[in-house]
Amino acid sequence: RSAADLELVLPVLAGSGDTSSARASLAPPRRTEPKGLRVGLWLDEPFAPVAPAVSDAVREAARRLESAGAIVEPVRPVRFEEAFEIFSLLNHAIVAASLPAKVRDRLQQAAAGASPGDLSHRALQARGASMTPGLYQQVKARKQRMEALWARLFTKVDVVLCPPAPVQAIPHDHGPDVHARVLDIGGTARPYLDFLCWASPASSADLPAVSAPVTMMGGLPAGVQVVAARGEDRTAIAVAQV
């Protein structure tokens, strides 16, 4: 219901019974007030376009923080396409492990026709479902390099603001083929699985992130994603609270 609820439940999620020791093991928030907060603003990614209402809400969040004393600057922590590829391959590998063998075999056969540079959702799904030990080691090495880039950025900023998703809430599409579904992003049809794009940068580097409401647009809530450094979940929650 609120950032305060997240702060309350975090030690339970982080610990194993003793919430006081779990809370102590979590880094304290870098700041609990906006004055002096160093904020990176990540928007305008050609690979991951967002609807105007979404970008407006993210900019409004940055504006409010800046007007209260935060220092806001544009950032591009990592190459978005690579973050999305790493996230997708690992995500699809995990999902494929729980699929019926017949479905998994079909996906693995489809991977034979997918080139390594193909970042379409179908190709990423097929490649992830066919994860080999060799591919996993390659992805792991790329993931570690990405984690290092983020760590370097967080010596200069306290949090990064970015879109939580490319669109606001949409009507459900129950079509059986997820690849046949589409999103309307600013009047342009995009693949349905683009929903995952802005979840990938933080997820691919194991970073804490929280989605906070900012305003209402067109009768629907619009918000912002707050990403913090690894192990600094309480900083993300504190900025969401602000």
Side-chain angles (χ1 to χ4, degrees), residues 5-71:
D5 278 358
L6 294 180
E7 178 71 22
L8 182 67
V9 77
L10 183 62
V12 180
L13 296 174
S16 55
D18 184 352
T19 56
S20 60
S21 62
R23 183 179 292 275
S25 71
L26 293 165
R30 295 189 183 188
R31 291 185 182 273
T32 56
E33 297 182 356
K35 187 171 178 60
L37 183 73
R38 301 170 301 170
V39 177
L41 179 62
W42 193 6
L43 266 172
D44 304 320
E45 273 290 339
F47 185 81
V50 300
V54 174
S55 58
D56 288 350
V58 176
R59 288 192 177 92
E60 173 63 12
R63 186 197 66 76
R64 291 185 193 177
L65 288 172
E66 190 169 39
S67 67
I71 303 155

Side-chain angles (χ1 to χ4, degrees), residues 1-195:
R1 296 171 303 175
S2 67
D5 278 358
L6 294 180
E7 178 71 22
L8 182 67
V9 77
L10 183 62
V12 180
L13 296 174
S16 55
D18 184 352
T19 56
S20 60
S21 62
R23 183 179 292 275
S25 71
L26 293 165
R30 295 189 183 188
R31 291 185 182 273
T32 56
E33 297 182 356
K35 187 171 178 60
L37 183 73
R38 301 170 301 170
V39 177
L41 179 62
W42 193 6
L43 266 172
D44 304 320
E45 273 290 339
F47 185 81
V50 300
V54 174
S55 58
D56 288 350
V58 176
R59 288 192 177 92
E60 173 63 12
R63 186 197 66 76
R64 291 185 193 177
L65 288 172
E66 190 169 39
S67 67
I71 303 155
V72 180
E73 60 175 309
V75 296
R76 192 171 191 254
V78 295
R79 196 167 66 87
F80 199 105
E81 294 91 326
E82 185 171 20
F84 183 68
E85 183 179 13
I86 291 169
F87 166 79
S88 297
L89 290 174
L90 294 174
N91 188 40
H92 285 304
I94 292 167
V95 171
S98 63
L99 291 174
K102 193 177 295 185
V103 177
R104 190 167 58 250
D105 290 345
R106 190 163 65 243
L107 288 172
Q108 290 171 348
Q109 289 168 11
S115 69
D118 188 344
L119 299 184
S120 68
H121 294 293
R122 285 187 185 275
L124 289 167
Q125 183 184 37
R127 290 165 58 202
S130 305
M131 182 76 70
T132 62
L135 177 58
Y136 175 76
Q137 289 301 324
Q138 292 175 26
V139 172
K140 183 180 177 182
R142 294 171 67 191
K143 182 177 182 297
Q144 289 171 337
R145 288 195 297 270
M146 192 157 295
E147 291 167 358
L149 291 172
W150 275 104
R152 193 179 310 158
L153 175 69
F154 282 120
T155 65
K156 302 173 184 176
V157 303
D158 299 313
V159 292
V160 171
L161 303 187
C162 60
V167 292
Q168 295 165 278
I170 65 167
H172 286 296
D173 182 343
H174 296 287
D177 182 2
V178 70
H179 296 295
R181 305 178 197 174
V182 294
L183 296 177
D184 180 347
I185 301 180
T188 300
R190 298 279 300 188
Y192 184 81
L193 287 179
D194 275 13
F195 250 133

